[in-house]
Amino acid sequence: MNIHEFLASPPEASKRTGPHDRIVLSSRVRLARNLRGMSFPGWAKKPERIKALETVRPAVESLEQMSEAFSESMDNLTALDKQILVERHLISREHAAKNAGSGLVLNREESLCVMINEEDHLRMQSLRPGLQIKEAWQAIDQIDSLVEKKLDYAFSPTLGYLTACPTNLGTGIRVSAMLHLPALVISEQINQIIQAVNKLGLAVRGLYGEGTEALGNVFQVSNQMTLGELETDIVERLNKVLAQLIEHEENGRASLLENKPKVVFNQIGRAYGILANAHSISSKETMNLLSLFRLGIDLGLFPGTARSLVDELFLITQPAHLQRNYSEKLSADERDLLRSDMLRERLRSVSRPHTVPATPTSSKLDKPTE
Amino acid sequence: MNIHEFLASPPEASKRTGPHDRIVLSSRVRLARNLRGMSFPGWAKKPERIKALETVRPAVESLEQMSEAFSESMDNLTALDKQILVERHLISREHAAKNAGSGLVLNREESLCVMINEEDHLRMQSLRPGLQIKEAWQAIDQIDSLVEKKLDYAFSPTLGYLTACPTNLGTGIRVSAMLHLPALVISEQINQIIQAVNKLGLAVRGLYGEGTEALGNVFQVSNQMTLGELETDIVERLNKVLAQLIEHEENGRASLLENKPKVVFNQIGRAYGILANAHSISSKETMNLLSLFRLGIDLGLFPGTARSLVDELFLITQPAHLQRNYSEKLSADERDLLRSDMLRERLRSVSRPHTVPATPTSSKLDKPTE
């Protein structure tokens, strides 16, 4: 199977489960690294970028962890392939715009992904379902040590790892988690929470990172500082904040269910009703309604329906994932029709919400470990 | 059974069927009459209004057609009774504001209703389901002849029947029909149609008459002129225009189904999804969604579901009809919750729309007779 076939087949990663995946969709750690003595990708002329790519790529390919990986030059990927990679959060939008001189090494589990010549020569990422930032850190730390044996990293004894943008200088680490926080949004606590998290030196962003909207009540929380702190301390600090956010969201859900059950049932019921019966629906509306449907599953309103159904739909209703099923280029209007067809079909077997929850919420049972 | 009990029991009139009730919800003819030598109700002092009431009421009560009717002084009705009468289109909002000195005679079929001391001394109305304005005219004409034998009407040989407002002078007749025109609204032809109808000397109004919104895609069409034309000509002319409107609406439905089926399915599907799953819904949203649900039934998307279900819901989800089931005064928010409970319950047995219509629309079979 080549990468085109891989990206055209149903995504498996969305079906994997992890700790606290009621609220934490995924964890990620990425490291920014550069080659000593070579211009950063944004400054390098094309021959120099190609030279960097040709240096980095075999070093990454030769890792045992990448033995079955896809290794691609970005110009070998179609626009659709790239868009699918973005929708799966495997590459950045910026990297999707790259062509010859940039590359990608991705393992089949989609748990390791290295972007070559994105903003830095290397952006190495480890991804895990649920709350597993420690595990993600350990995995990428191991990769980094192995790569460092093969490549001469740009490193300053005083500053640490050198990076194209000073915001990554030092450790080059960005630890992040995707959180599903519908209760904090519905109860209008989210802005206050975001401010509090910001004061702890962490950034809160939308679904596709910096400057994007929080579609589907999904928020990305990550460290801001990369300098003057140990990687393990950064991981530890984020872990603590995430544990608190999980608790806030769980408390928010319990409180909504106790104090405003009708508001919750109304939003979830309408979301389900529209998802199961619309004949045209945009990607944005879909995400926002799927978020409420996911909350309904978490609250026990859809007994027998697995959370993974929503997580898969969240992915496969996005534009490029929809397009990959069709040979002709679809317009946005056509996608809206096909998206609604897919949703109606997949929700056909899901019964109307049991608005007296079948089971109590697991908020008390499902506390994060620290 | 007294009138309070009658108004508190389930409305039967909405279940009756009539010709062309796919599109024409109801037909009505009302006659305005006044007593000779007595001030119009708006000018009369209270003793004179009471004298008029005491003159008119027995004359109406004694009609054979009113042998089982409710005859009430308006001060004997509660605010809730009055509001229910307004929601059933039996009395005007203006009449609902009246108290001692005004009255009401209503037969049990809700097909004859006489308001006493509304704007005129008598406002006699005949109501029929579907397109039956001729039948309604004949019924009220007969009542009028019988009443005229008992009362001395204010009549001028040159002007005809005298009325409080000159817009009713002459025949005192207002012939109207309630039309459900969702296809003309969805296809954005409605404003053009309204203008054309206006040019024919007919008025097009919203659900509750003059100056009200066209909630639920329901429009009231009526004659404007009451002077210089025979009643039968007015009835005939309106009948012709209604036949054309029915045809336009049927053509609009067929055309939407042929050219924009997804637009129609999308609106109907979403309406059904929300009605069947919301946990809070306003009266206005309910009417607009029920209109689309009704269209879906007409188009064969809900085989096995009778149109009368919608017509009943259209009535019983309105504020006063909801309130009558509860002893404590409900707030608007409480009504929104109870309305959604009622809708979910009543739609529980209605399956998701068959978006490939089970039967062709009956537009070709269901042409109005002229």
Side-chain angles (χ1 to χ4, degrees), chain A residues 187-244:
Chain A
S187 60
E188 297 177 357
Q189 296 178 70
I190 191 71
N191 288 334
Q192 197 186 330
I193 298 270
I194 289 176
Q195 282 172 22
V197 171
N198 287 343
K199 281 186 188 155
L200 297 170
L202 301 176
V204 183
R205 302 191 173 103
L207 186 58
Y208 289 105
E210 207 161 337
T212 66
E213 254 184 305
L215 288 173
N217 302 316
V218 173
F219 297 85
Q220 193 190 92
V221 179
S222 63
N223 65 306
Q224 297 258 38
M225 299 262 291
T226 56
L227 194 62
E229 208 175 0
L230 285 175
E231 290 91 339
T232 48
D233 289 345
I234 292 172
V235 166
E236 194 56 38
R237 197 152 53 87
L238 194 69
N239 233 352
K240 277 196 182 138
V241 173
L242 291 175
Q244 287 179 343

Side-chain angles (χ1 to χ4, degrees), chain A residues 262 265-266 269-270 272-274 276-282 285 337 341 344 347-353 355, chain B residues 262 265-266 269-270 272-274 276-282 285 337 341 344 347-353 355:
Chain A
K262 292 291 187 179
F265 295 167
N266 191 39
R270 284 169 178 257
Y272 162 82
I274 293 170
N277 292 288
H279 279 257
S280 173
I281 191 163
S282 71
E285 184 181 10
L337 300 181
D341 289 347
R344 288 200 318 285
L347 268 67
R348 199 175 298 278
S349 60
V350 178
S351 300
R352 292 179 193 174
T355 44
Chain B
K262 292 289 186 179
F265 294 166
N266 190 40
R270 285 168 176 257
Y272 162 82
I274 293 170
N277 292 287
H279 280 258
S280 173
I281 191 164
S282 71
E285 184 180 10
L337 300 181
D341 289 346
R344 287 199 319 285
L347 268 66
R348 199 174 296 277
S349 59
V350 178
S351 300
R352 292 179 192 175
T355 43

Side-chain angles (χ1 to χ4, degrees), chain B residues 138-155:
Chain B
Q138 285 157 358
I140 206 65
D141 185 35
Q142 191 185 11
I143 297 289
D144 183 44
S145 303
L146 294 169
V147 173
E148 195 158 17
K149 287 180 188 157
K150 299 166 189 254
L151 298 177
D152 191 12
Y153 282 164
F155 182 83

Side-chain angles (χ1 to χ4, degrees), chain A residues 294-355:
Chain A
R294 196 183 201 273
L295 176 64
I297 293 172
D298 289 351
L299 297 180
L301 306 191
F302 298 95
T305 301
R307 199 177 292 138
S308 61
L309 170 65
V310 182
D311 293 344
E312 189 190 351
L313 287 173
F314 212 88
L315 204 51
I316 65 176
T317 57
Q318 290 186 60
H321 278 81
L322 264 177
Q323 175 66 64
R324 79 198 154 99
N325 303 317
Y326 300 90
S327 50
E328 280 167 41
K329 172 83 181 125
L330 302 171
S331 67
D333 282 353
E334 287 167 332
R335 284 199 306 270
D336 290 353
L337 300 181
L338 294 167
R339 182 179 295 114
S340 70
D341 289 347
M342 175 185 278
L343 287 164
R344 288 200 318 285
E345 178 58 33
R346 295 297 298 270
L347 268 67
R348 199 175 298 278
S349 60
V350 178
S351 300
R352 292 179 193 174
H354 290 229
T355 44

